[in-house]
């Protein structure tokens, strides 16, 4: 009996509540007129050069807040200027004597060496 119900449902035409024809949004029409690529070019900023050089434009995350002011370099902590310094790679750390490494480099060596060993163990397990 269930099979007869399914067969009868397959023969019914499928229609949506919106009608049988599909339409597109009204804004999808092509723009007419001159301009071409010039119309797609980014617009010039309306901010003055003075505002751009004294504030971090777009860094405000509060609804009623203002963009933060750029401070002199002496107002920022020392660690901030070392964030983008290059750190030695594992191969470079392996070439050095472990006993003479500074604490930060030794900590980085242990972390990178453990990561490399885990990856090597995972690849050997995957092959088996």
């Amino acid at each position: 009996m269930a099979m007869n119900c399914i067969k009868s449902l397959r023969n019914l035409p499928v229609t949506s509540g919106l009608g049988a024809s599909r339409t597109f949004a009204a804004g999808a029409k092509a723009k007419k007129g001159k301009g071409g690529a010039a119309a797609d070019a980014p617009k010039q900023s309306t901010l003055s050069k003075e505002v751009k050089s004294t504030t971090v434009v777009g860094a405000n995350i509060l609804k009623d807040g203002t963009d933060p002011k750029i401070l002199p370099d002496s107002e920022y902590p020392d660690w901030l200027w070392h964030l983008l310094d290059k750190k030695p790679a594992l191969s470079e750390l392996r070439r050095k004597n472990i006993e003479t490494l500074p604490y930060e480099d030794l900590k980085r060596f242990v972390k990178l060496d453990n990561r490399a060993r885990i990856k090597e163990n995972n690849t050997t397990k995957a092959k088996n």
Side-chain angles (χ1 to χ4, degrees):
M1 174 151 161
M3 289 301 289
N4 290 337
C5 290
I6 292 174
K7 287 181 182 178
S8 63
L9 287 176
R10 286 185 186 162
N11 295 332
L12 289 176
V14 178
T15 59
S16 66
L18 299 175
S21 65
R22 181 175 176 166
T23 60
F24 295 98
K29 294 180 183 178
K31 293 182 181 179
K32 293 183 181 178
K34 297 180 181 178
D40 296 336
K43 296 180 180 177
Q44 291 292 331
S45 175
T46 58
L47 296 173
S48 68
K49 288 183 180 181
E50 180 180 327
V51 171
K52 286 183 183 178
S53 64
T54 59
T55 59
V56 182
V57 179
N60 177 33
I61 59 170
L62 303 174
K63 195 180 260 188
D64 296 329
T66 60
D67 290 331
K69 302 283 183 200
I70 296 176
L71 303 174
D73 288 352
S74 61
E75 297 292 322
Y76 294 104
D78 291 333
W79 57 264
L80 181 68
W81 308 113
H82 300 290
L83 286 177
L84 298 178
D85 290 348
K86 296 285 184 184
K87 295 178 181 156
L90 178 60
S91 59
E92 185 179 333
L93 291 172
R94 282 184 175 160
R95 280 186 251 130
K96 295 181 180 178
N97 185 6
I98 296 175
E99 295 173 359
T100 60
L101 285 176
Y103 177 72
E104 293 297 321
D105 287 347
L106 183 62
K107 195 166 75 168
R108 180 170 170 78
F109 172 74
V110 169
K111 180 180 83 167
L112 294 176
D113 190 50
N114 284 339
R115 186 181 295 164
R117 254 188 291 120
I118 289 169
K119 284 184 179 181
E120 185 178 334
N121 287 340
N122 288 341
T123 55
T124 57
K125 285 180 183 177
K127 289 179 184 177
N128 292 337

